[in-house]
Amino acid sequence: RRIQAWLGAEAENAAAENPPTFTRDSVAYQSDGTQVVANVPRFEQGKFGKAIMVEEGTTNKFLYSEEFDRSNWTKSGVIITANSETAPSGAMTADKMVEDTSTGTHIINQGVTISSTSAPVAVSVYVKPAGRTKLRLYVISTNSVGVNFDLSTMTATNSSGNVIYKSIKSVGNGWYRLEFAGTTSFGSTNVWAVIALRDDSGNFSYTGDGVSGVYIWGMQFEEKQYPTTYMATTSSTATRSPETMTIPTTGVLNPQEGTVELWFIPQSPYDYNQGMQHRRIFFAGTLTDSNYIQISMFSSSEFIRFYVGDGAGNRQTISFTFSELGGMDFYGKPHFIAAVWSKSENRIYLRVDDQTKISTYPSQVPSLTDTIYIGNRENTEQANGLIDDLRISNRARTDEEILAAYQSGQ
């Protein structure tokens, strides 16, 4: 029989056979800035409606991330008006940043301590144009890394340093989340994160008109190679706990044959050409003795991979490379992933969207534990993505059945 666990509605999950268990020991925030209490999943728009986020933990190192009128934020050439616009969260908590009439830079900044002079940094902020559409986000000490953003053309270009990732994301009602991540040799562990206005010609230093600017809200500083979702802060930094989702294996997973199908929307983009990064999409078994069935993201040569290991040193894997799946363009879009294993047919099969690969089953059958981890492995190595329409079958579905499911979007 086939077990279907649709992860799109809390009420249906609660009544389902073998319902998932979700944990997160802190509050978290949806993409629009809405707070979600501890141990309640975050549901976002997925392929078919609601999809569930499973994400690693993080710390926002900024203080007063929504209160730019505070003295923690140093202002130069700008005037801040507090609580002057409705924020993405729906509350009247967004501030207005307006250039004054001086000649020079028009910026606000906050000092942050990082762990080393070459630590990766990720900065993000929600902005809404109010006369200015061009900005620069950067982190600086002796040297800097940063990005110029243009909301009129929806483009982002490197301004300094080694920029790993940059993005402009619309979150509705005229608001955008600007994000970048990068590295440089800062020269000090004391750095300053800066948001700067630029004039219509893109000049960083110019004479202000006294009325133009942007609304700003929810600024975040992470010591990571990629940005993650927002965490609000006040007088101290704020940490989001990692998220875990599990399903019991009993009656669900057959180690001799079965199928896992899901739609996956990867977030927190990471350039796998920079190195390895474990992100587990589906995991059942134990890692120490390679006794498992798993789907994961791993490296540039094994970007999406499907493993079956029998615990006796034998394991079979199929994978698609980072370039085969489009590299950085893979992120932020829904992708169909299907994995099939069959001892009797001596095959394992992996489909990612319209690409497929096949290999052989290992010599022995895995001995699985009592728990399936969805989007993580034992509360670590989170997938950092949205999972929608998860389907677990205790038989090996045929290639034709899987292709039909993909093509119909069901």
Side-chain angles (χ1 to χ4, degrees), residues 5-20 43 52:
W6 182 64
L7 303 175
E10 300 93 324
E12 291 183 6
N13 285 337
E17 183 180 9
N18 302 298
F43 292 95
I52 193 169

Side-chain angles (χ1 to χ4, degrees), residues 30-52:
Q30 293 178 314
S31 59
D32 64 1
T34 302
Q35 187 185 97
V36 180
V37 299
N39 294 317
V40 172
R42 291 178 288 169
F43 292 95
E44 301 274 6
Q45 180 63 43
K47 173 68 175 177
F48 303 106
K50 289 183 178 181
I52 193 169

Side-chain angles (χ1 to χ4, degrees), residues 143 274 307:
N143 299 303
Q274 303 270 339
Y307 265 50

Side-chain angles (χ1 to χ4, degrees), residues 34-356:
T34 302
Q35 187 185 97
V36 180
V37 299
N39 294 317
V40 172
R42 291 178 288 169
F43 292 95
E44 301 274 6
Q45 180 63 43
K47 173 68 175 177
F48 303 106
K50 289 183 178 181
I52 193 169
M53 172 72 82
V54 182
E55 190 178 28
E56 67 186 74
T58 197
T59 297
N60 185 355
K61 291 194 168 189
F62 283 136
L63 305 183
Y64 295 104
S65 62
E66 300 172 12
E67 301 174 61
F68 300 95
D69 56 325
R70 292 274 187 170
S71 60
N72 304 80
W73 294 97
T74 301
K75 297 91 174 169
S76 177
V78 297
I79 299 167
I80 299 294
T81 304
N83 302 328
S84 58
E85 178 63 283
T86 303
S89 64
M92 185 65 71
T93 53
D95 295 351
K96 191 174 187 181
M97 175 183 177
V98 174
E99 62 196 40
D100 62 19
T101 57
S102 65
T103 299
T105 58
H106 304 272
I107 65 174
I108 62 172
N109 68 83
Q110 186 173 141
V112 175
T113 300
I114 56 178
S115 62
S116 75
T117 59
S118 58
V121 296
V123 178
S124 55
V125 64
Y126 294 87
V127 301
K128 182 176 182 177
R132 290 295 180 208
T133 58
K134 295 179 172 64
L135 303 97
R136 179 181 295 175
L137 290 180
Y138 63 101
V139 180
I140 187 168
S141 185
T142 303
N143 299 303
S144 69
V145 58
V147 171
N148 289 324
F149 295 92
D150 188 337
L151 296 176
S152 62
T153 59
M154 293 296 288
T155 55
T157 56
N158 300 356
S159 64
S160 61
N162 174 35
V163 175
I164 301 170
Y165 170 75
K166 54 187 181 289
S167 176
I168 303 172
K169 296 178 179 177
S170 174
V171 296
N173 298 318
W175 283 96
Y176 301 89
R177 194 185 194 210
L178 311 184
E179 306 172 331
F180 90 90
T183 61
T184 192
S185 178
F186 287 111
S188 172
T189 56
N190 297 316
V191 300
W192 288 264
V194 186
I195 178 169
L197 300 173
R198 297 186 297 139
D199 69 9
D200 291 343
S201 299
N203 295 312
F204 177 60
S205 178
Y206 62 96
T207 301
D209 62 14
V211 295
S212 298
V214 294
Y215 296 105
I216 53 176
W217 184 82
M219 197 160 175
Q220 180 153 287
F221 186 106
E222 302 172 88
E223 200 169 309
K224 290 182 182 290
Q225 293 176 297
Y226 42 84
T228 69
T229 56
Y230 175 59
M231 279 296 291
T233 71
T234 53
S235 59
S236 61
T237 62
T239 297
R240 180 183 64 245
S241 299
E243 295 172 317
T244 297
M245 185 164 64
T246 62
I247 297 175
T249 57
T250 304
V252 176
L253 203 61
N254 178 0
Q256 297 202 44
E257 69 169 316
T259 308
V260 173
E261 300 162 83
L262 56 90
W263 286 88
F264 179 56
I265 307 176
Q267 312 289 305
S268 301
Y270 173 73
D271 186 348
Y272 277 82
N273 293 315
Q274 303 270 339
M276 296 184 296
Q277 182 74 233
H278 279 289
R279 292 181 178 176
R280 311 284 179 174
I281 301 170
F282 178 95
F283 188 91
T286 55
L287 192 64
T288 53
D289 56 359
S290 298
N291 197 351
Y292 47 62
I293 296 172
Q294 66 157 312
I295 306 167
S296 66
M297 305 167 73
F298 178 61
S299 69
S300 60
S301 61
E302 295 181 294
F303 180 44
I304 299 291
R305 64 179 185 176
F306 173 42
Y307 265 50
V308 180
D310 63 10
N314 305 301
R315 62 181 185 179
Q316 293 292 342
T317 179
I318 314 174
S319 62
F320 291 98
T321 68
F322 193 51
S323 60
E324 282 177 329
L325 296 179
M328 295 297 283
D329 289 339
F330 189 78
Y331 292 95
K333 307 177 184 72
H335 299 280
F336 180 76
I337 299 176
V340 179
W341 61 97
S342 173
K343 174 68 172 173
S344 63
E345 297 173 6
N346 190 31
R347 73 174 181 119
I348 63 172
Y349 164 104
L350 176 65
R351 171 180 283 275
V352 180
D353 296 330
D354 57 359
Q355 301 187 61
T356 62

